[in-house]
Amino acid sequence: MTLEGALETTADGSRDAVLFVFTVTNTGDEPVELAFTDGCKAEFVLVDDGSEVWRFSDGRMFAQVLSSDELDPGEATTYEAEWSDPDAGEYTAIATLQARETDCEATTTVTVVD
Protein backbone atom coordinates (compact mmCIF):
# COMPACT_ATOMS: atom_id res chain seq x y z
CA MET A 1 0.00 0.00 0.00
CA THR A 2 1.51 3.28 -1.10
CA LEU A 3 -0.21 6.38 0.23
CA GLU A 4 1.14 9.90 0.07
CA GLY A 5 -0.20 12.73 2.20
CA ALA A 6 -0.16 16.49 1.66
CA LEU A 7 -1.42 19.11 4.11
CA GLU A 8 -2.49 22.60 3.16
CA THR A 9 -3.93 25.39 5.27
CA THR A 10 -6.04 28.37 4.36
CA ALA A 11 -4.80 30.65 7.11
CA ASP A 12 -5.63 34.04 5.66
CA GLY A 13 -3.68 35.97 8.26
CA SER A 14 -6.74 36.60 10.41
CA ARG A 15 -7.46 34.97 13.74
CA ASP A 16 -11.00 33.92 12.82
CA ALA A 17 -10.22 30.33 11.87
CA VAL A 18 -7.68 28.13 10.12
CA LEU A 19 -8.91 25.48 7.67
CA PHE A 20 -6.82 22.34 7.14
CA VAL A 21 -7.09 20.23 3.99
CA PHE A 22 -5.36 16.82 4.13
CA THR A 23 -5.07 15.12 0.74
CA VAL A 24 -4.31 11.40 0.62
CA THR A 25 -3.21 10.00 -2.76
CA ASN A 26 -2.79 6.36 -3.77
CA THR A 27 0.63 6.43 -5.48
CA GLY A 28 0.72 2.65 -5.93
CA ASP A 29 -0.35 0.39 -8.78
CA GLU A 30 -3.21 -1.35 -6.95
CA PRO A 31 -6.48 -0.07 -5.45
CA VAL A 32 -6.30 0.66 -1.71
CA GLU A 33 -9.18 0.20 0.72
CA LEU A 34 -9.15 2.56 3.69
CA ALA A 35 -11.07 1.02 6.61
CA PHE A 36 -12.29 3.31 9.39
CA THR A 37 -13.67 2.36 12.81
CA ASP A 38 -15.47 5.65 13.50
CA GLY A 39 -16.41 8.98 11.99
CA CYS A 40 -12.96 10.51 12.58
CA LYS A 41 -11.15 9.74 9.33
CA ALA A 42 -8.20 12.05 9.94
CA GLU A 43 -6.63 13.61 13.02
CA PHE A 44 -5.17 17.10 12.99
CA VAL A 45 -2.75 18.33 15.66
CA LEU A 46 -0.94 21.64 16.13
CA VAL A 47 2.36 21.70 17.96
CA ASP A 48 4.40 24.64 19.24
CA ASP A 49 7.99 23.85 20.31
CA GLY A 50 7.10 20.21 20.97
CA SER A 51 3.97 21.00 23.02
CA GLU A 52 0.53 20.15 21.70
CA VAL A 53 -1.59 23.29 21.32
CA TRP A 54 -4.73 21.98 19.59
CA ARG A 55 -6.17 18.60 18.57
CA PHE A 56 -9.14 18.29 16.23
CA SER A 57 -10.70 15.36 18.12
CA ASP A 58 -10.48 16.92 21.61
CA GLY A 59 -13.95 17.42 23.05
CA ARG A 60 -15.66 15.84 20.04
CA MET A 61 -17.71 12.67 19.81
CA PHE A 62 -17.57 10.49 16.71
CA ALA A 63 -20.10 7.88 15.64
CA GLN A 64 -18.74 4.35 16.07
CA VAL A 65 -19.51 3.31 12.51
CA LEU A 66 -17.41 1.03 10.34
CA SER A 67 -16.85 2.58 6.92
CA SER A 68 -14.37 2.44 4.07
CA ASP A 69 -13.12 4.44 1.12
CA GLU A 70 -11.44 2.87 -1.90
CA LEU A 71 -8.73 4.72 -3.78
CA ASP A 72 -7.78 3.55 -7.25
CA PRO A 73 -4.19 4.07 -8.41
CA GLY A 74 -3.57 7.81 -8.80
CA GLU A 75 -6.83 8.70 -7.04
CA ALA A 76 -6.93 11.10 -4.09
CA THR A 77 -9.37 12.00 -1.34
CA THR A 78 -9.40 14.92 1.09
CA TYR A 79 -10.23 15.35 4.75
CA GLU A 80 -10.82 18.74 6.35
CA ALA A 81 -10.79 20.31 9.80
CA GLU A 82 -11.14 23.81 11.18
CA TRP A 83 -9.39 25.43 14.13
CA SER A 84 -11.73 28.15 15.36
CA ASP A 85 -10.43 31.18 17.23
CA PRO A 86 -6.73 30.22 17.03
CA ASP A 87 -4.04 31.86 19.13
CA ALA A 88 -1.41 33.93 17.29
CA GLY A 89 1.88 32.15 16.66
CA GLU A 90 3.78 29.81 14.38
CA TYR A 91 2.86 26.14 14.65
CA THR A 92 3.64 22.79 13.09
CA ALA A 93 0.44 21.17 11.83
CA ILE A 94 0.32 17.38 11.57
CA ALA A 95 -2.43 15.43 9.80
CA THR A 96 -2.68 11.67 10.28
CA LEU A 97 -4.96 9.28 8.41
CA GLN A 98 -7.03 7.27 10.92
CA ALA A 99 -7.65 4.26 8.66
CA ARG A 100 -6.78 0.86 10.11
CA GLU A 101 -3.49 -0.72 9.03
CA THR A 102 -2.30 2.38 7.17
CA ASP A 103 0.47 4.86 7.69
CA CYS A 104 -0.08 8.24 6.09
CA GLU A 105 0.86 11.57 7.58
CA ALA A 106 1.67 15.08 6.41
CA THR A 107 3.01 18.20 8.10
CA THR A 108 3.15 21.90 7.32
CA THR A 109 3.83 25.17 9.09
CA VAL A 110 0.95 27.46 10.08
CA THR A 111 1.35 31.12 11.02
CA VAL A 112 -1.51 32.94 12.74
CA VAL A 113 -0.99 36.68 13.10
CA ASP A 114 -2.48 38.94 15.77
Side-chain angles (χ1 to χ4, degrees):
M1 177 179 329
T2 309
L3 297 174
E4 186 175 300
L7 180 58
E8 296 178 23
T9 66
T10 58
D12 60 4
S14 74
R15 290 190 47 201
D16 294 338
V18 177
L19 178 67
F20 301 94
V21 180
F22 179 37
T23 303
V24 176
T25 305
N26 177 358
T27 58
D29 298 328
E30 300 290 327
V32 173
E33 183 172 339
L34 305 175
F36 300 97
T37 57
D38 64 26
C40 184
K41 295 184 176 186
E43 179 66 276
F44 298 84
V45 177
L46 277 132
V47 177
D48 182 18
D49 288 330
S51 296
E52 187 174 303
V53 175
W54 176 82
R55 177 176 290 269
F56 172 70
S57 64
D58 276 356
R60 299 176 191 264
M61 302 278 291
F62 296 97
Q64 301 294 309
V65 177
L66 296 178
S67 65
S68 64
D69 292 335
E70 185 170 313
L71 293 179
D72 289 327
E75 188 177 10
T77 188
T78 59
Y79 305 98
E80 297 182 0
E82 182 177 281
W83 182 23
S84 300
D85 195 27
D87 294 326
E90 185 169 296
Y91 306 98
T92 299
I94 306 161
T96 307
L97 186 65
Q98 296 295 93
R100 291 190 337 232
E101 300 177 22
T102 63
D103 185 23
C104 185
E105 184 176 281
T107 61
T108 192
T109 301
V110 178
T111 302
V112 178
V113 295
D114 231 348

